[in-house]
Amino acid sequence: MRHFLCKGFFLIGCFLFAGTVFAGERLANLVKMLQPGVVGVGVFSPIDGNQATLEGSGFVIGNGKYIATNYHVVERELDTSKVQFRVVYTGKGKRSKLHKVKLVDFDPIFDLAILEVVEEQAYLDPVFTFASDELKRPGEDIAFIGFPIGSVLGLFPAVHKGIIAAVTPSSTPAKSSNQLTVSLIDRLQRAFNVYQLDATAFPGNSGSALFDANSGEVIGVINKVMVQGGKEYALSSPSGITYAIPVKHLRNLAARNNILLD
């Protein structure tokens, strides 16, 4: 009997190990497939030594002419006192390429924006597919790819993996009337469900595609700052908490610009 139990536990351990290896290989294959559609979003100025400042991340949608990102990544006005262009970077390392873009549309409520590549003959790689509008369940595996610290160490996209920790309102009611502010009241009136993630994103990850780690389908857009002052207003050190905007809000923004998300 003891021999049988030991053998049984050994087999279970083998199956669990094999499953972990398979899941890791599957994610690695997904990342290889999706990386070409990941871009860095920033501002370029020829008179600043041909350097671009990365403000966040984004990903290619539609027919390859459009980029999805967070609105707060592109809301800063370009400096009219010098020549500046809004740009996205594709590729990685020394093989990265620069593309000029323009802001097509945005939704400040859901902190989403869509950019368009302005070069007529330039088409990027629309490798992402999109999940339905139905919200995913807590516990499901997720991942995202972006530029967590911008281009400090070069333009190399990083992968983060975790799970959906909760589906939660974007704002939390104040504990007392003393904590209510005009901004918080506005957030409470416009509250909607977001994904809370057991995965740490950084400011440069804003605008990254959140995807199902098993299928690769986009289920949301990473957002690091929108809920600050709302969901996290009472937390003193919220850096370990990450949120994402469900994909249905990006689909709505895309649809009003006749951009199809498959």
Side-chain angles (χ1 to χ4, degrees), residues 101-165:
V101 295
K102 65 179 181 180
L103 181 60
V104 173
D105 200 359
F106 59 89
D107 189 331
I109 294 177
F110 301 109
D111 195 26
L112 295 170
I114 294 178
L115 308 172
E116 182 180 7
V117 179
V118 297
E119 294 104 325
E120 291 186 4
Q121 302 303 318
Y123 286 86
L124 308 184
D125 202 346
V127 295
F128 287 93
T129 58
F130 296 82
S132 69
D133 290 348
E134 182 179 357
L135 289 170
K136 294 290 185 177
R137 301 172 298 172
E140 296 199 38
D141 292 329
I142 53 86
F144 51 93
I145 312 169
F147 302 93
I149 53 175
S151 57
V152 173
L153 301 178
L155 199 73
F156 294 95
V159 183
H160 301 262
K161 182 179 183 296
I163 63 170
I164 296 174

Side-chain angles (χ1 to χ4, degrees), residues 2-254:
R2 181 180 298 175
H3 175 74
F4 176 77
L5 289 175
C6 290
K7 185 176 181 180
F9 282 125
F10 174 77
L11 290 174
I12 292 173
C14 288
F15 283 128
L16 291 175
F17 176 75
T20 301
V21 171
F22 178 73
E25 183 178 356
R26 178 172 53 209
L27 179 58
N29 290 334
L30 282 175
V31 169
K32 182 179 180 180
M33 179 181 70
L34 298 177
Q35 271 190 348
V38 176
V39 304
V41 181
V43 174
F44 174 76
S45 178
I47 64 176
D48 286 341
N50 286 334
Q51 295 295 315
T53 302
L54 282 183
E55 308 287 343
S57 303
F59 56 102
V60 183
I61 63 173
N63 61 1
K65 296 289 286 185
Y66 300 99
I67 307 293
T69 188
N70 285 153
Y71 173 57
H72 77 261
V73 171
V74 296
E75 68 175 330
R76 179 168 62 89
E77 294 289 337
L78 297 179
D79 190 345
T80 57
S81 67
K82 56 184 179 181
V83 180
Q84 286 189 329
F85 304 99
R86 222 176 285 282
V87 296
V88 297
Y89 271 107
T90 59
K92 60 182 179 179
K94 295 182 179 180
R95 296 184 178 180
S96 60
K97 296 181 179 179
L98 189 74
H99 303 274
K100 294 180 182 179
V101 295
K102 65 179 181 180
L103 181 60
V104 173
D105 200 359
F106 59 89
D107 189 331
I109 294 177
F110 301 109
D111 195 26
L112 295 170
I114 294 178
L115 308 172
E116 182 180 7
V117 179
V118 297
E119 294 104 325
E120 291 186 4
Q121 302 303 318
Y123 286 86
L124 308 184
D125 202 346
V127 295
F128 287 93
T129 58
F130 296 82
S132 69
D133 290 348
E134 182 179 357
L135 289 170
K136 294 290 185 177
R137 301 172 298 172
E140 296 199 38
D141 292 329
I142 53 86
F144 51 93
I145 312 169
F147 302 93
I149 53 175
S151 57
V152 173
L153 301 178
L155 199 73
F156 294 95
V159 183
H160 301 262
K161 182 179 183 296
I163 63 170
I164 296 174
V167 176
T168 177
S170 58
S171 294
T172 300
K175 294 180 180 179
S176 70
S177 59
N178 294 333
Q179 294 178 317
L180 289 174
T181 63
V182 174
S183 177
L184 182 56
I185 291 173
D186 183 58
R187 285 177 179 273
L188 291 171
Q189 291 175 338
R190 302 184 182 188
F192 58 95
N193 284 335
V194 295
Y195 291 119
Q196 181 178 321
L197 309 177
D198 184 12
T200 301
F202 298 87
N205 284 120
S206 290
S208 299
L210 175 71
F211 61 91
D212 185 307
N214 295 303
S215 69
E217 291 182 326
V218 176
I219 64 172
V221 182
I222 293 293
N223 183 290
K224 189 60 185 172
V225 303
M226 190 205 72
V227 293
Q228 290 178 356
K231 184 70 178 177
E232 297 181 0
Y233 78 97
L235 300 180
S236 60
S237 300
S239 59
I241 298 178
T242 296
Y243 294 92
I245 311 301
V247 71
K248 70 176 183 178
H249 302 298
L250 175 61
R251 181 174 277 112
N252 291 338
L253 181 61

